[in-house]
Amino acid sequence: MKHRVLFGPAGSPINYKGAAYKAPKYINEEGLDSYEYQSPYGVRIGESAATTLKEESQKHDVLVSMHAPYYINLCAKEEEKIDKSIGHLISAARAGEWMGAYRLVFHPGAYLNRKPEKAMEISKQTVNRLFEELEAEGIEEFTFAPETTGKRTQLGNVGEVVELCATFDHFEPTIDFAHVHARGRGFLNKKEDYNCIFSTIEDKLDIDILHCHYTTIEYGRGGEVKHHTLAESDEYGPDIKDLLSVLIDNGWNANIICETPLRDEDSLRMKEIYENLI
């Protein structure tokens, strides 16, 4: 199969005034291919609206993913926070099933001054509990997509995300290249710098399409500080051309969700760059 890279915004387009669950038509008319529905502060979409989103996305050929709440921490120290994290993921899975989301993106958690290995051990125990509760709820159609995180205190470097996905069914990675860049304090500077990421994925996982996030990003000693626009790429990395070139060279299918402040406008700019490269 010929490789294909899709592009779309994280959240509704900046000039779109309608309901979020009816955004696919607008996104398609802009010339974009995908849409990441945002639930950062809790899953608030009901079944009717989510079903409409599924119908609209299918009608207008827009691939839908969903970002789960920010409050999730698979390795929290307090049992109450573990319980709440599982609840947020179940709510996301239920809504994602209604809306036909092909990925449920979430931030795995934070080390909380513990060794990464201990945080990973607790996280795996939490996922096992999550699966038990999903089965009890009768939720079957879901693919969780833990995201690489942007701060060095957080669980979620490339190796950790790949380890989670290699351990569990219904898990596929979200590679946020800006987070990788910021966490590594400027790690991605040329095409070759992407090779270790793709090699790690290829060695451990078998995936059909790589779910990605991208923005230019400002970072400090601790990692991520602030998202910037594509126009600011001379000052802030990583360079989208390097990423797109590597995807093309290696024949990867990918969905790049744009998280710059100009999310849909920069998605279109990225798509134009891609089409000029192929």
Side-chain angles (χ1 to χ4, degrees):
M1 182 176 71
K2 183 180 178 181
H3 65 79
R4 185 184 180 202
V5 179
L6 309 178
F7 299 88
S12 298
I14 56 175
N15 291 318
Y16 173 69
K17 305 302 182 185
Y21 61 88
K22 293 184 178 179
K25 181 176 185 290
Y26 187 99
I27 289 168
N28 171 269
E29 288 174 349
E30 282 191 299
L32 294 170
D33 319 289
S34 60
Y35 173 42
E36 189 153 288
Y37 181 87
Q38 303 290 293
S39 294
Y41 306 113
V43 178
R44 297 167 183 165
I45 189 169
E47 183 173 4
S48 177
T51 301
T52 298
L53 173 55
K54 181 178 181 178
E55 292 169 352
E56 288 292 299
S57 66
Q58 291 175 342
K59 180 179 179 180
H60 298 288
D61 194 24
V62 171
L63 182 64
V64 170
S65 54
M66 177 182 182
H67 201 303
Y70 291 155
Y71 310 122
I72 292 161
N73 186 352
L74 298 179
C75 50
K77 290 184 176 180
E78 300 89 347
E79 194 68 21
E80 179 185 3
K81 290 184 179 179
I82 293 281
D83 292 342
K84 287 183 177 179
S85 294
I86 290 173
H88 286 307
L89 288 168
I90 289 172
S91 295
R94 184 182 292 112
E97 192 170 63
W98 292 333
M99 71 174 65
Y102 93 115
R103 296 286 189 273
L104 303 169
V105 179
F106 71 98
H107 303 153
Y111 300 132
L112 301 175
N113 298 316
R114 292 167 298 181
K115 291 184 178 180
E117 296 79 9
K118 183 63 177 178
M120 178 62 73
E121 177 188 343
I122 296 168
S123 296
K124 290 178 179 179
Q125 293 169 0
T126 301
V127 175
N128 282 324
R129 279 187 53 196
L130 168 65
F131 281 170
E132 291 173 2
E133 297 194 27
L134 284 166
E135 184 176 3
E137 292 280 343
I139 300 171
E140 299 177 343
E141 297 296 325
F142 60 89
T143 300
F144 290 108
E147 177 184 344
T148 53
T149 49
K151 295 185 183 295
R152 300 170 75 89
T153 56
Q154 295 171 320
L155 177 73
N157 63 32
V158 172
E160 289 165 341
V161 165
V162 169
E163 181 177 345
L164 279 171
C165 296
T167 302
F168 298 103
D169 292 336
H170 300 281
F171 264 56
E172 300 281 2
T174 296
I175 304 299
D176 187 315
F177 290 98
H179 284 170
V180 174
H181 185 68
R183 187 180 182 119
R185 298 169 182 161
F187 176 69
L188 299 172
N189 292 304
K190 54 187 182 300
K191 284 176 60 175
E192 291 72 21
D193 294 333
Y194 290 85
N195 289 339
C196 63
I197 299 173
F198 287 98
S199 294
T200 299
I201 296 169
E202 287 180 325
D203 288 347
K204 301 290 185 179
L205 304 174
D206 181 17
I207 58 178
D208 295 326
I209 181 169
L210 182 65
H211 193 74
C212 310
H213 286 177
Y214 173 84
T215 180
T216 49
I217 195 164
E218 182 179 349
Y219 61 86
R221 288 191 63 191
E224 175 185 12
V225 173
K226 183 180 179 181
H227 291 194
H228 288 270
T229 67
L230 203 63
E232 297 172 279
S233 59
D234 287 344
E235 184 174 358
Y236 302 102
D239 188 335
I240 188 62
K241 290 181 182 177
D242 290 338
L243 170 59
L244 295 175
S245 294
V246 171
L247 290 170
I248 293 167
D249 291 347
N250 291 281
W252 280 76
N253 297 309
N255 179 21
I256 300 180
I257 298 297
C258 180
E259 292 192 315
T260 77
L262 300 175
R263 46 194 176 271
D264 59 314
E265 294 178 10
D266 278 346
S267 287
L268 287 167
R269 292 185 180 98
M270 288 193 289
K271 185 171 184 178
E272 181 181 4
I273 293 168
Y274 170 71
E275 291 175 343
N276 286 332
L277 288 172
I278 57 177

